[in-house]
Amino acid sequence: MLDLSFTNLSGKIPNSIGYLNSLRDIRDLIDHLKSLRWLGLLNTKFSGEIPDSISHLKFLVALGLSYTIISEEIPDSITHLKFMTNLDLSFTNLSGEIPDSIGDLESLEFLVISDTNMSAEIPDSISNFKSLFYLDLHSNMMKGSLLPSICNNTYLRYFDISNNRLHGVITQCSRNISLTMVDFFCGTIPNAWDGCGDLEGLLLNGNSLEGEVPSGLSKCKSLKVLDLGNNHLNGTFPHSLANLQNLQVLVLKSNNFHGPIDNSSVIKHPFSSLKVFEVFENKFVGLLPKKYFQNFDAMNNVVNKGRIPKYVEIGKFYPITIVVKGSEVIFLKISVVYTIVDLSSNLFEEEIPNVIGSLHTLIALNLSHNNLESQIPKSMGILSTIELLDLSSNRLTKEISKSLSLITTLEVLDLSQNHLMGHIPDGTQFRTFDATSFEGNPGLCWFPLPKQCEHPSVSHIVVDGDDESGFTWKVVMLGYGCGTLLGLVVGYMMLSTGRPTWFNTFDDDLEYMIQKRQKKEKTCLYRKMKSIP
């Protein structure tokens, strides 16, 4: 084995490297180097071209040249290495064509030629790979169309040809291949997926695909990631996918889907493993999918974070794009504990359901640019891990719940362009946001907006009135005045026994006031209670 990866070596690869007749390990440099099996030059400063002498390393099984400055074309000499199983030429300056003779490497299992200047078409000879498991040709300048001969690679599990100049349609033969990552073309998605049992990821983002999502995809029981975003797909929400119990990521963003998203399925636990639900920029209408929210089990259950972070993998890490205040933020890999719901830029109406608060592991929630009404549910205050909350450009009314200001994880907040009113809660976290998070709400006042409240002291006291609980601040205030016996007894008992679960969200100043006055009023309370016959 000869591994010079991640060094500062520079210059050309010496032609004499092909005459190391017996090298098995770097410690054997003094020996003959005929039996070299692994050659790693990753992330070095080697430049020039791959020397023809490399063909003398007859027993080489792995060659890694990624992140080097090697240029020119792939030489035919590489194709003489009959025992080669792993070839990585990614992130190089290689140009020209993939030689047709590459098909002579019949033992190849792992082939990566991505992020290069390679052009021309994918050679027909690629179908000669009988054991190819991993094929990554993404981010080149390859032309032409997907070859039907790719269907002959029955062992292929990972296939990425995204970010090229390919064109055409998705061939029917796709059903015979367990594709993991694909990114191509136009036309419709074929409804023929009988052989997709091992398919873990299907990425068709950013093409010109039309038509509906085929129901046949529901047969892909191993599917973890389905990304159909940024196409021209239409039809209604694909409820047939709800039965995919391994599906973690569903992206339907930026298409022409329409109609309501309501759970009309008879499936008991639809989308139970879903962690990312992105359907923004469509024409969905009606109510938010309350029943689906109730069954997002993977978002309801708190996951213990281990010492070693884990990520969603489908042959390699799956990247995700999140829109933050109108700007796209790209994450090169997504943690298994990172949960996202984005239904923005649709036509959803009426209120935000309280059940949204049960999605305990939510990191990002975007419901902006809809027609949502009523108040922000107080249940959102128990989203203790949320980092991004965007409810802007809706018709939300009433006060902002104090509970929101107590979420310590919140980093991005946008409540702008609504009909909110009253005093902006004075929580520690809210003081980190500027006026843009609240602008466009004429009825709002207090920091960080320049508008002051007319009666700021009253606004601090009257917070989070909750009709559903049957217990309001009017009762509490009555209970701390000696003039009204009934209000006093009820208020005192509510504070002394079985406090409501949302009690911890009360304003800090008011809680301090209550504690201070409790001693003073205790005598008054005792006398009043003794006077009851």
Side-chain angles (χ1 to χ4, degrees), residues 17-46:
I17 199 169
Y19 299 97
L20 304 179
N21 296 324
S22 301
L23 182 65
R24 290 177 179 273
D25 191 278
I26 194 169
R27 294 167 296 184
D28 298 334
L29 278 171
I30 58 174
D31 297 333
H32 297 294
L33 305 174
K34 182 180 178 180
S35 301
L36 184 65
R37 296 176 62 82
W38 293 80
L39 177 57
L41 301 175
L42 286 72
N43 206 23
T44 64
K45 296 180 181 179
F46 280 119

Side-chain angles (χ1 to χ4, degrees), residues 127-147:
S127 61
N128 295 341
F129 297 135
K130 304 302 181 184
S131 303
L132 193 63
F133 179 86
Y134 191 107
L135 177 59
D136 187 349
L137 304 176
H138 83 271
S139 300
N140 293 293
M141 294 186 289
M142 295 178 183
K143 306 172 184 177
S145 58
L146 180 66
L147 300 170

Side-chain angles (χ1 to χ4, degrees), residues 6 61 74 88 91 145 208 242-243 311 348 375 484:
F6 299 95
V61 298
I74 300 175
D88 187 351
F91 293 95
S145 58
S208 300
N243 198 31
Y311 301 93
F348 292 111
Q375 67 186 105
T484 306

Side-chain angles (χ1 to χ4, degrees), residues 38 54 57-58 99 157 226 351 437:
W38 293 80
I54 203 166
L57 303 177
K58 300 292 186 183
R157 290 296 178 271
L226 179 60
E351 62 183 10
S437 294

